[in-house]
Amino acid sequence: MQPNSIYFALFFTTSGAIKFHRILQNLNIVSEPMPVPRKLSSSCGIGVKFSYGGDLNLLYNEDIEKVFEFQGNQYILKYEN
Amino acid sequence: MKEIYFDNAATSFPKAPGVAEAITYFLTSVGCNVNRGAYTKAYQTEEVVYETRELICRLFHFNQPNNIVFTKNVTESLNVIIKGLLNPGDHVIVSSMEHNAVMRPLTSLKTRNLEVTILECNKEGSLSENQIALFQSLIKFNTKAIIMTAASNVCGTILPLEVIGRLCREKNIFFIVDCAQMAGFSEMDLGRLNIDALAFTGHKGLLGPQGIGGFIVNDRLATSIKPLIEGGTGSFSEHETQPSYMPDKFEAGTLNIPGIYGLNAALKYLFQVGINSIREQELYLLELFLSKVLDFPSIQVIGKKDLMYRTPILSLNFPKHDNAEVSYILYKEHGIMTRSGLHCAPSAHKTLGTFPQGTVRFSFSHFNTDKEVIKAVDCIRDILTR
């Protein structure tokens, strides 16, 4: 397991964001729904910020639009659906 | 005079314990919209909405919570499905036991060149093997769907969904089920029954409040239905076209969130008590009532005379009396609430041979008691002597 990184996931629908948040909670992954930062465009206004050190591929689902990694002051695109 | 409520097929009463409290809690302590604001209370509200989708999934053995669409009732759900799916030139088959929630939208679409065939049911409100065989011969090149009630709102008969669903899948036509009278009485496995869309309401057997219902739709059918209502969803706000993602595609505008909180509490109650226990109690009351009224030679029991494949609804015809007057006396003199008339299902009454006089419908809840049923029997006996 690598050290945790901070990620921000964007979704097509709010329902998708809530579903993802619930999945992360069940996996004991620290996460929080929050408004999508203005610099990231999104289909829905609510994203999920989470701290994770594992393989991101294990978390992707069809509800996710994009996943960014937060490094310094920059968002690095890690996944796009 | 203590009132007795035997009109649970119209809407259940009392509601499940906790329903009123959940609605009050939302209205007095939460109050947030969903899919709009980005603050903790809004997320908490969204969690409850999503959890309610999950509870509906559990009830119907379905695994896509985002494909649970909330509407105000089963009628709206059926309108969304019917008007969004069927086009001029399409053909649709319905059973003759359908409620006007199905018949009226279809009649409206007939003026726009929709072809509708009615599959006649038998005097028990069900389909015999011959009638099921006939169903296959009714399928044409342009048959897009069959729409069928899970259980009659007039006589309680449960229709053979599994057989019809299998035939629909073999013929590659959509199977749409009106679950108004079945939800909460029996769990249903959408996959096993090959149901593509199931319309439900929250205020009958699910024991929730009025004004909340919905439909479940699989991906195969969801992509074929155009939304009836379009507007704000909180998603894709930069576009002025309706999003195609579920459930937003069909949930424009603010949801009935107090209703969803109430339905959430009701569903948890159903799972806590157990639907099987509820069904056993309701069928016990039905059997008690049925066994007594069958002893009255001047009363006609409409539909099935046994407990197999039925919900706790019993329709009676009083040939020597006016059915409306019987219902009126039951309430006025004895406080017993029933529903007389045609129950918004003229085709079903024609099938059962009770059109246009209708019936007196008794519909039980597991909250009813033996004592209430016996009192109703005694009151009926009294009315028959007049």
Side-chain angles (χ1 to χ4, degrees):
Chain A
M1 182 77 79
Q2 299 169 354
N4 279 5
S5 298
I6 303 299
Y7 296 100
F8 199 91
L10 310 184
F11 300 87
F12 296 109
T13 65
T14 304
S15 189
I18 297 302
K19 177 180 165 188
F20 187 70
H21 177 51
R22 289 169 71 86
I23 291 170
L24 295 187
Q25 282 184 316
N26 287 335
L27 294 171
N28 292 320
I29 296 172
V30 175
S31 61
E32 183 184 12
M34 57 182 288
V36 175
R38 291 188 61 163
K39 61 179 73 171
L40 308 177
S41 71
S42 166
S43 300
C44 101
I46 295 168
V48 174
K49 183 181 173 185
F50 61 102
S51 171
Y52 184 58
D55 182 0
L56 273 180
N57 289 303
L58 300 175
L59 301 180
Y60 295 147
N61 68 35
E62 62 190 9
D63 301 317
I64 296 175
E65 186 183 3
K66 293 174 185 170
V67 175
F68 292 90
E69 183 178 355
F70 190 61
Q71 292 181 1
N73 287 327
Q74 291 201 315
Y75 288 95
I76 313 298
L77 182 64
K78 305 294 287 187
Y79 170 78
E80 185 166 9
N81 191 346
Chain B
M1 180 168 54
K2 183 178 176 292
E3 292 188 329
I4 298 174
Y5 188 73
F6 285 157
D7 199 13
N8 289 280
T11 193
S12 57
F13 189 79
K15 300 303 180 186
V19 168
E21 290 83 352
I23 295 170
T24 302
Y25 170 71
F26 174 78
L27 290 174
T28 56
S29 304
V30 184
C32 294
N33 208 337
V34 293
N35 301 357
R36 272 77 177 166
Y39 33 86
T40 303
K41 266 195 171 182
Y43 302 141
Q44 288 169 349
T45 308
E46 282 155 9
E47 292 265 357
V48 173
V49 172
Y50 190 81
E51 183 187 60
T52 311
R53 297 187 204 277
E54 289 183 323
L55 291 167
I56 293 288
C57 277
R58 184 177 158 195
L59 189 64
F60 294 105
H61 299 235
F62 191 70
N63 61 4
Q64 292 177 271
N66 285 347
N67 284 33
I68 308 300
V69 175
F70 288 117
T71 63
K72 70 172 183 281
N73 52 40
V74 72
T75 299
E76 182 180 330
S77 298
L78 288 163
N79 269 266
V80 170
I81 296 166
I82 289 169
K83 292 176 178 169
L85 174 69
L86 300 172
N87 298 308
D90 285 341
H91 174 234
V92 64
I93 303 170
V94 297
S95 90
S96 66
M97 293 304 289
E98 299 310 306
H99 188 277
N100 271 345
V102 169
M103 294 306 201
R104 285 183 171 171
L106 291 179
T107 301
S108 171
L109 290 181
K110 275 160 79 173
T111 62
R112 284 179 260 166
N113 204 25
L114 176 75
E115 199 182 343
V116 180
T117 300
I118 294 178
L119 175 61
E120 285 298 327
C121 293
N122 58 29
K123 289 280 184 193
E124 292 193 333
S126 190
L127 290 165
S128 66
E129 285 185 17
N130 286 343
Q131 287 165 319
I132 290 169
L134 177 65
F135 163 66
Q136 298 183 68
S137 70
L138 298 176
I139 296 171
K140 306 198 294 185
F141 73 95
N142 58 340
T143 304
K144 196 174 233 178
I146 178 158
I147 306 172
M148 184 175 278
T149 186
S152 166
N153 71 308
V154 176
C155 63
T157 301
I158 294 172
L159 278 88
L161 299 182
E162 189 166 358
V163 178
I164 298 297
R166 192 164 56 243
L167 290 171
C168 285
R169 188 50 49 95
E170 285 171 11
K171 304 289 184 183
N172 198 30
I173 57 179
F174 292 121
F175 188 31
I176 298 159
V177 172
D178 170 358
C179 195
Q181 299 296 340
M182 189 77 148
F185 178 75
S186 173
E187 289 190 24
M188 295 170 71
D189 185 329
L190 263 62
R192 188 176 61 78
L193 296 171
N194 288 304
I195 294 172
D196 293 292
L198 180 139
F200 65 91
T201 194
H203 72 101
K204 295 182 192 265
L206 296 186
L207 306 177
Q210 291 89 349
I212 186 68
F215 63 93
I216 307 171
V217 61
N218 62 21
D219 287 333
R220 190 172 89 99
L221 178 53
T223 53
S224 301
I225 302 175
K226 297 183 292 291
L228 186 65
I229 307 290
E230 295 168 291
T233 58
S235 56
F236 298 89
S237 292
E238 69 275 29
H239 299 303
E240 292 182 343
T241 53
Q242 189 71 7
S244 60
Y245 289 90
M246 296 292 289
D248 296 19
K249 180 179 179 180
F250 298 108
E251 287 187 349
T254 294
L255 293 172
N256 176 4
I257 304 171
I260 292 173
Y261 266 68
L263 180 59
N264 183 288
L267 290 166
K268 286 176 177 169
Y269 170 80
L270 287 180
F271 287 120
Q272 180 203 330
V273 174
I275 287 175
N276 290 342
S277 301
I278 290 172
R279 183 172 59 249
E280 277 176 26
Q281 169 67 4
E282 290 175 346
L283 288 180
Y284 164 73
L285 295 172
L286 178 70
E287 184 176 28
L288 179 63
F289 189 59
L290 186 60
S291 66
K292 303 288 183 192
V293 295
L294 280 171
D295 286 340
F296 295 130
S298 57
I299 294 179
Q300 293 175 342
V301 174
I302 305 304
K304 290 167 63 61
K305 313 286 187 291
D306 59 32
L307 298 185
M308 295 291 287
Y309 300 108
R310 70 176 304 154
T311 61
I313 291 175
L314 190 69
S315 256
L316 301 180
N317 183 34
F318 296 77
K320 294 179 182 169
H321 296 75
D322 182 308
N323 286 328
E325 196 179 330
V326 171
S327 182
Y328 175 77
I329 294 170
L330 281 171
Y331 180 67
K332 201 70 183 170
E333 297 183 11
H334 307 287
I336 298 170
M337 290 171 264
T338 60
R339 182 178 173 192
S340 65
L342 294 174
H343 312 98
C344 302
S347 175
H349 275 282
K350 285 174 187 170
T351 304
L352 297 166
T354 49
F355 185 88
Q357 76 274 22
T359 56
V360 183
R361 184 183 69 182
F362 297 76
S363 47
F364 304 113
S365 148
H366 74 292
F367 293 120
N368 290 127
T369 64
D370 308 33
K371 202 173 161 186
E372 291 175 333
V373 170
I374 295 298
K375 179 175 176 185
V377 172
D378 291 341
C379 296
I380 289 169
R381 185 181 293 112
D382 174 60
I383 290 171
L384 291 174
T385 59
R386 300 182 188 192

